[in-house]
Amino acid sequence: MYVLGIETSCDETAVSVVKDGRKILSNVVASSLTLHKKYGGVVPEIASRMQLETITAVADSAITKAGLKLKDIDLISVTASPGLLGSLLVGISFAKSLSLSLEIPLLGINHLYSHIYASFLNGLGTQMPFVALIVSGGHTSLFYVQDFHRIKLIGQTLDDACGEAFDKVAKILGLGYPGGPLIERLAEKGNPKSISFRCSNTKNPLDFSFSGIKTAVLYKVKSQKLKVKIKKDIAAAFQEVIIDTLIKKAFLACKLKRTNRLVIGGGVAANNRLRERFYRQAKEKKIRLSFAPKELCMDNAAMVAGLGFKLFKNGGEYVA
Ligand code: KG4
Ligand code: ZN
């Protein structure tokens, strides 16, 4: 079964063809990132205008790269929520027209659930139930997944998302946007132990709060002359405390839910230091850890097509 996935929840215009929920035949992502850089974050109007202009070409390219014709597509799966409204609307309208004209079914997919599904595209597979940690620019959430129709939110950020904290701290350090990869690179040469940051406590131990640490970084920066060495140390210390917090809460969730399986996805999950430390901890705690492949951590449509197949096979429920 050939599924066409469409993802336009933020700044990307992404279309992919996935066969039987596993085999990625094409995965085209056009990003309007460079247009947002000078504003230090995504500008919704710019994003949706670019998506409107590019979606037809991106879809054409994805179908051609898959070696298929439009008539070969069996199902369309599109990100329906959460996301930027104007951007979602572009993808959904395009998907609806295509499904009507081709007379094939259409599924609306929850963006966060598709980030969870990205781990199933690594070829390893994961048994259910499991705990999923999704760390992206817009969300930081812990889910308990019994199957893809029974996903329960068990923890989430009360303020900034994890990726958003990376982006804001990068801005404070004058690094640019998106901040995650820039902080990661700078942190490699810094000493994480030279500064002590900490994340605020939360009433529900599985919730997150990252806005305090961003303010702490701001005060640290304002309190002294920002030399390169200090920037590196701040980046390293910030990244380390974020990873400490994610590890603590994700493994606590596994303990509370009595599962030894953990799945991690979302843009921040591309971070090497995070991956390495999670793997180490998982080995120690005997948890089976499954990361989304690095190239599928950031927003893409392969995960949307993959989840679409899975849901369709299990009854075709609209989940967004
Ligand atoms: O999942 P994603 O592509 O979009 C959303 O759904 O939000 O995530 C984008 C976020 C950005 O905040 C970006 O700074 C962060 O992921 N990110 C990283 C890294 N690569 C991307 N954060 C930390 N380390 C990275 N290597
Ligand atoms: Zn995302």
Side-chain angles (χ1 to χ4, degrees):
M1 185 177 201
Y2 294 115
V3 183
L4 186 78
I6 299 172
E7 149 65 34
T8 59
S9 68
C10 193
D11 62 308
E12 281 93 1
T13 310
V15 183
S16 165
V17 180
V18 173
K19 188 178 177 204
D20 298 336
R22 290 277 165 165
K23 196 168 186 323
I24 302 174
L25 301 183
S26 65
N27 187 21
V28 183
V29 184
S31 170
S32 57
L33 201 63
T34 48
L35 300 174
H36 304 284
K37 272 191 174 154
K38 67 175 168 183
Y39 303 103
V42 174
V43 181
E45 289 75 13
I46 297 179
S48 53
R49 198 177 319 135
M50 286 310 293
Q51 282 157 333
L52 201 55
E53 284 174 19
T54 51
I55 193 153
T56 311
V58 173
D60 273 349
S61 164
I63 292 163
T64 309
K65 279 191 176 156
L68 301 175
K69 299 259 183 299
L70 256 182
K71 64 172 175 43
D72 300 319
I73 303 295
D74 301 300
L75 169 72
I76 298 175
S77 175
V78 61
T79 306
S81 78
L84 301 173
L85 282 183
S87 294
L88 288 169
L89 199 59
V90 174
I92 294 168
S93 316
F94 184 81
K96 275 190 178 169
S97 342
L98 208 54
S99 112
L100 279 172
S101 63
L102 296 174
E103 296 181 0
I104 56 173
L106 168 71
L107 271 186
I109 297 293
N110 179 299
H111 180 63
L112 298 176
Y113 299 176
S114 67
H115 271 300
I116 300 176
Y117 192 85
S119 285
F120 287 71
L121 289 164
N122 65 8
L124 300 174
T126 306
Q127 284 179 324
M128 316 261 179
F130 58 83
V131 163
L133 170 68
I134 299 304
V135 270
S136 73
H139 298 86
T140 305
S141 313
L142 276 166
F143 296 100
Y144 179 59
V145 184
Q146 284 171 284
D147 58 54
F148 278 99
H149 292 278
R150 284 182 298 166
I151 300 180
K152 190 168 178 238
L153 181 69
I154 53 172
Q156 64 184 327
T157 183
L158 302 178
D159 38 60
D160 291 348
C162 188
E164 190 181 356
F166 269 93
D167 295 336
K168 286 180 176 170
V169 166
K171 199 172 176 183
I172 294 170
L173 295 177
L175 299 179
Y177 177 83
L182 301 169
I183 298 251
E184 178 175 10
R185 213 171 311 141
L186 197 66
E188 279 167 18
K189 297 166 212 132
N191 175 8
K193 295 207 170 80
S194 62
I195 308 165
S196 156
F197 291 126
R198 64 179 205 90
C199 287
S200 318
N201 289 331
T202 52
K203 200 167 151 208
N204 169 4
L206 300 183
D207 280 342
F208 303 85
S209 170
F210 295 117
S211 69
I213 184 169
K214 166 201 68 193
T215 313
V217 170
L218 185 65
Y219 282 136
K220 185 84 195 160
V221 166
K222 282 195 168 165
S223 70
Q224 59 201 298
K225 211 161 162 246
L226 201 54
K227 297 204 186 93
V228 178
K229 164 86 178 75
I230 296 167
K231 273 196 189 185
K232 290 177 183 167
D233 288 346
I234 292 177
F238 162 78
Q239 179 176 269
E240 217 59 13
V241 73
I242 294 273
I243 297 172
D244 285 344
T245 307
L246 296 175
I247 286 184
K248 189 172 88 188
K249 305 213 174 212
F251 286 90
L252 175 64
C254 290
K255 191 174 164 199
L256 294 176
K257 288 306 201 181
R258 295 198 178 91
T259 173
N260 67 344
R261 294 187 192 94
L262 176 62
V263 162
I264 307 181
V268 183
N271 185 291
N272 287 312
R273 176 83 183 143
L274 180 147
R275 294 172 90 93
E276 182 192 304
R277 287 203 48 209
F278 261 97
Y279 274 126
R280 219 185 301 151
Q281 189 76 4
K283 201 170 165 201
E284 220 171 84
K285 294 241 185 313
K286 297 196 169 37
I287 296 281
R288 286 194 201 166
L289 175 60
S290 179
F291 267 106
K294 258 196 205 174
E295 64 283 8
L296 298 179
C297 282
M298 305 288 277
D299 290 345
N300 65 84
M303 62 190 191
V304 179
L307 179 58
F309 172 82
K310 182 92 186 157
L311 292 171
F312 189 75
K313 280 283 154 191
N314 293 348
E317 192 178 311
Y318 182 93
V319 291

